[in-house]
């Protein structure tokens, strides 16, 4: 387990910390996020080409698989245990190597569509339980298909560049061709954050370390008009687990956000005032006296 930052950050760092490349740390199979995206795109293209070569009977089989996945995911409610049970119902599709590739693609696409509609709507109402239950579904499936996590990150990177593309993060809103939709961004971020802390176990550090690295990388950027939009739902969902795992190190990071990072957000054009207010209230509700906690790090 990598040691977290030992001292609170005193001021935002002008350039991102080069050694912190979260998605590279997780996969260990690609040289960059771009390489990962290209690999997934190539994989999807090959699969789609194979689908077009299939006989009518096999295509009908594919449609049956897709229908089962969509029905199952659409039945996920706001309980995490319900999400895990729905994943277990699809075990036969997971085990079948002939249907696994279909399953992976359709599973990710259906979940992200739920982010755009159901999860995004609930997040706007400050209800994060639906994001957590869908994340529990995905995390349960990833136990059987570990590579599904990387496909999920890659697809999420494509449709929501703010999450992984730190260069994009600095672009002004006017330079973005697609409209910026705060509701969709919050839906994607909430699902992403919930996935990282789903089934949190202090003895298993992979995803929680990724959450730390992601947060540290964002905070090492100069604040933009997007900062509060993505930080509030992420911290709302992950804070308790990060406190449990990193203790005083994480509390120091929260103190930095409260005392030094938040004041800089007020200087941004086109501010997300609602998210700023929610983030301020969240930080005020957390125990930021670092001597109350001891780090779990050895």
């Amino acid at each position: 387990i990598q040691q977290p930052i030992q001292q609170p950050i005193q001021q935002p760092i002008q350039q991102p910390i080069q050694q912190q490349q979260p998605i590279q740390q997780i996969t260990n199979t690609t040289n960059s996020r771009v390489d990962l995206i290209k690999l997934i795109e190539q994989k999807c293209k090959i699969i789609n080409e194979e689908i077009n070569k299939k006989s009518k009977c096999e295509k009908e089989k594919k449609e049956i698989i897709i229908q089962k996945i969509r029905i199952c995911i659409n039945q996920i409610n706001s309980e995490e245990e319900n999400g895990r049970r729905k994943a277990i119902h699809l075990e036969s599709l997971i085990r079948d190597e002939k249907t696994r590739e279909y399953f992976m693609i359709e599973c990710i696409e259906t979940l992200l569509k739920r982010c755009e509609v159901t999860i995004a709507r609930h997040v706007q109402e400050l209800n994060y339980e639906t994001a957590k239950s869908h994340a529990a579904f995905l995390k349960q499936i990833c136990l059987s298909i570990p590579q599904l996590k990387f496909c999920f990150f890659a697809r999420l990177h494509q449709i929501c560049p703010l999450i992984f593309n730190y260069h994009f993060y600095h672009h002004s809103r006017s330079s973005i061709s697609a409209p910026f939709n705060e509701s969709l961004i919050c839906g994607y971020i909430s699902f992403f954050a919930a996935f990282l802390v789903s089934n949190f176990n202090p003895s298993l550090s992979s995803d929680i370390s990724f959450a730390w690295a992601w947060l540290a990388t964002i905070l090492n950027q100069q604040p933009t008009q997007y900062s509060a939009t993505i930080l509030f739902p992420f911290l709302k969902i992950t804070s308790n687990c990060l406190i449990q795992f990193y203790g005083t190190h994480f509390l120091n990071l929260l103190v930095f956000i409260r005392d030094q990072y938040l004041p800089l957000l007020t200087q941004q054009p086109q501010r997300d005032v609602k998210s700023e207010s929610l983030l301020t209230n969240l930080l005020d509700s957390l125990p930021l006296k670092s001597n109350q906690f001891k780090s779990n790090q050895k």
Side-chain angles (χ1 to χ4, degrees):
I1 301 174
Q2 292 187 348
Q3 291 290 337
I5 299 172
Q6 297 299 316
Q7 299 296 329
I9 305 173
Q10 298 304 315
Q11 60 183 5
I13 298 173
Q14 299 296 322
Q15 297 297 326
I17 299 175
Q18 295 301 316
Q19 65 269 27
Q20 290 183 347
Q21 298 288 344
I23 201 145
Q24 291 183 35
Q25 290 180 356
I26 286 185
T27 63
N28 293 324
T29 58
T30 59
N31 294 324
S32 68
R33 292 184 297 274
V34 174
D35 291 339
L36 178 59
I37 299 299
K38 288 181 178 178
L39 285 173
I40 298 304
E41 288 177 341
Q42 291 171 2
K43 182 73 169 176
C44 292
K45 182 179 179 181
I46 292 172
I47 293 172
N48 290 332
E49 289 175 350
E50 289 299 317
I51 290 173
N52 292 330
K53 296 177 183 178
K54 300 292 184 182
S55 66
K56 181 179 179 181
C57 178
E58 288 174 313
K59 286 184 178 181
E60 289 175 352
K61 182 179 180 182
K62 174 216 167 190
E63 292 302 323
I64 293 173
I65 293 169
I66 290 176
Q67 192 66 16
K68 286 182 179 179
I69 294 169
R70 290 178 178 174
I71 290 173
C72 193
I73 292 177
N74 288 335
Q75 290 176 345
I76 298 174
N77 59 26
S78 59
E79 298 177 1
E80 292 185 57
E81 185 57 35
N82 173 263
R84 283 187 280 270
R85 287 199 302 268
K86 292 299 180 183
I88 293 172
H89 289 166
L90 297 177
E91 279 187 350
S92 60
L93 299 181
I94 297 172
R95 289 194 298 265
D96 189 345
E97 293 185 4
K98 295 181 179 179
T99 61
R100 188 172 296 170
E101 291 177 337
Y102 294 154
F103 177 87
M104 291 171 63
I105 293 174
E106 187 57 36
C107 181
I108 291 171
E109 293 303 317
T110 303
L111 285 170
L112 291 176
K113 286 177 182 176
R114 293 280 282 182
C115 280
E116 296 169 3
V117 182
T118 306
I119 295 176
R121 184 181 71 249
H122 289 179
V123 167
Q124 288 301 300
E125 300 168 355
L126 304 184
N127 179 350
Y128 300 93
E129 299 308 310
T130 306
K132 293 177 181 178
S133 62
H134 285 72
F137 172 88
L138 181 59
K139 184 63 72 77
Q140 181 68 36
I141 293 175
C142 286
L143 296 177
S144 300
I145 314 178
Q147 63 267 36
L148 183 63
K149 175 167 68 174
F150 312 137
C151 294
F152 165 57
F153 288 160
R155 185 70 181 111
L156 192 58
H157 175 82
Q158 288 179 312
I159 63 176
C160 186
L162 279 173
I163 294 183
F164 293 121
N165 190 334
Y166 307 118
H167 177 67
F168 181 96
Y169 182 79
H170 281 286
H171 287 184
S172 66
R173 191 169 299 194
S174 61
S175 68
I176 301 173
S177 57
F180 183 81
N181 187 314
E182 283 87 350
S183 176
L184 290 181
I185 296 298
C186 289
Y188 293 136
I189 287 285
S190 298
F191 184 45
F192 168 66
F195 175 79
L196 294 179
V197 297
S198 183
N199 296 343
F200 171 65
N201 184 339
S203 64
L204 302 174
S205 65
S206 174
D207 287 339
I208 198 68
S209 295
F210 187 22
W212 172 276
W214 184 90
L215 181 60
T217 306
I218 293 298
L219 294 176
N220 279 329
Q221 310 291 321
Q222 286 290 350
T224 75
Q225 64 265 38
Y226 310 126
S227 298
T229 308
I230 66 174
L231 280 176
F232 169 69
F234 188 86
L235 287 173
K236 178 69 176 178
I237 292 171
T238 63
S239 286
N240 287 337
C241 293
L242 286 166
I243 287 174
Q244 289 182 51
F245 193 77
Y246 288 111
T248 56
H249 300 301
F250 180 63
L251 293 172
N252 285 337
L253 201 63
L254 293 178
V255 170
F256 161 74
I257 296 173
R258 183 193 64 189
D259 296 345
Q260 299 185 48
Y261 198 82
L262 266 178
L264 296 177
L265 296 182
T266 62
Q267 304 171 16
Q268 301 304 312
Q270 298 176 288
R271 296 162 49 198
D272 185 349
V273 178
K274 178 183 176 181
S275 293
E276 286 180 25
S277 177
L278 290 170
L279 182 57
T280 300
N281 293 338
L282 173 63
L283 293 172
D284 288 343
S285 71
L286 294 173
L288 298 187
K289 294 181 180 179
S290 59
N291 59 4
Q292 292 182 353
F293 291 88
K294 294 182 179 180
S295 172
N296 288 333
Q297 289 294 114
K298 303 296 183 182

